[in-house]
Amino acid sequence: PASLPKSLNAALDSAMASNPKVLLGKHRSESLRQRTALVKADEYMPRVDVYAEQSTRRNIDSTSTGPFYGDRKVMFQLQYNFNLGMAGSKSVNSAQEAQTARQVVEAVTVAWRNMQTARYNRDTLANQVRIAAKYFEMATAERAAGRRNLVQVLDAEIGLVNAMADLADTEGELAVSEMSLLNVMGVLNLDALETVRVATALPRVIR
């Protein structure tokens, strides 16, 4: 099953290997490469045209009794048929693939930062829950010993409940940020959802 990455670089590597948009761009590039390779060879082989010319003339003093001189010329012309349209398609497709990769990198980076922020908030509120729980426990014990009244114990309990409610909200935000990261990485599935659900369970945080 998919698991949360340990670093931003690991998240980016996973996205480049699994993100559907990146994979689609790679598939298009590969398809274009194969189509280019399948073009008939004669479309790229040159056409050879041969031109021959012959002329004769008398000697340089133009006397009728002088010898004849002959000039012969043979010319070869090569004509290439380049498919510039396909070259243009390759250029456009490469630019689109690069643009998609940049967008995915940006999305992964933002999702990673959001997850890190949510984790920090979760840890901060989890510590507040532990403090509130300890205070409520102490207030209850002192109430039993007659050193605190009921109102003070109820205040401590309300403080604990409020802290736990804030923590629960933050746990939800963390779960959303983790799922968003897995989604942009291209590895979000049912197993990953279960991993996120277990990882953000409240009892694990406050014990």
Side-chain angles (χ1 to χ4, degrees):
S3 59
L4 291 168
K6 302 299 183 182
S7 66
L8 175 57
N9 286 336
L12 292 173
D13 290 342
S14 179
M16 291 300 104
S18 303
N19 183 279
K21 293 181 179 180
V22 174
L23 295 179
L24 179 59
K26 291 179 179 179
H27 176 72
R28 287 175 175 171
S29 296
E30 178 62 19
S31 297
L32 184 58
R33 186 193 66 79
Q34 292 180 357
R35 290 201 308 271
T36 303
L38 291 175
V39 173
K40 295 181 180 179
D42 57 3
E43 293 187 12
Y44 291 99
M45 292 297 292
R47 187 183 73 185
V48 181
D49 295 326
V50 181
Y51 300 92
E53 179 180 332
Q54 180 175 338
S55 62
T56 59
R57 59 183 174 83
R58 289 187 182 276
N59 64 322
I60 193 167
D61 58 5
S62 300
T63 60
S64 59
T65 59
F68 285 93
Y69 292 90
D71 292 327
R72 295 182 178 88
K73 296 180 181 179
V74 179
M75 294 182 295
F76 296 88
Q77 180 175 321
L78 303 180
Q79 294 185 357
Y80 291 87
N81 179 27
F82 292 106
N83 189 341
L84 298 179
M86 182 168 291
S89 298
K90 292 173 63 177
S91 177
V92 171
N93 190 74
S94 297
Q96 291 176 341
E97 185 176 349
Q99 176 67 16
T100 298
R102 286 193 295 269
Q103 291 174 347
V104 170
V105 167
E106 181 179 356
V108 171
T109 302
V110 171
W112 172 265
R113 290 174 179 172
N114 289 342
M115 185 185 72
Q116 293 300 102
T117 300
R119 283 179 172 178
Y120 175 80
N121 292 338
R122 186 274 313 274
D123 292 342
T124 300
L125 291 175
N127 187 55
Q128 291 182 6
V129 167
R130 285 190 287 268
I131 294 173
K134 190 67 177 179
Y135 179 72
F136 174 67
E137 180 183 354
M138 181 183 66
T140 302
E142 291 183 353
R143 165 66 177 168
R147 293 192 295 271
R148 288 184 181 270
N149 57 39
L150 180 59
V151 174
Q152 292 174 317
V153 174
L154 291 177
D155 287 341
E157 184 176 12
I158 292 173
L160 175 59
V161 171
N162 289 337
M164 293 181 66
D166 292 340
L167 178 59
D169 290 340
T170 304
E171 287 287 353
E173 294 173 0
L174 176 59
V176 170
S177 68
E178 289 175 342
M179 287 186 290
S180 297
L181 177 60
L182 292 174
N183 182 53
V184 75
M185 287 167 54
V187 296
L188 183 62
N189 52 37
L190 291 178
D191 290 335
L193 290 175
E194 181 64 19
T195 300
V196 171
R197 188 188 69 81
V198 173
T200 56
L202 183 60
R204 177 187 63 81
V205 176
I206 66 174
R207 68 170 177 263

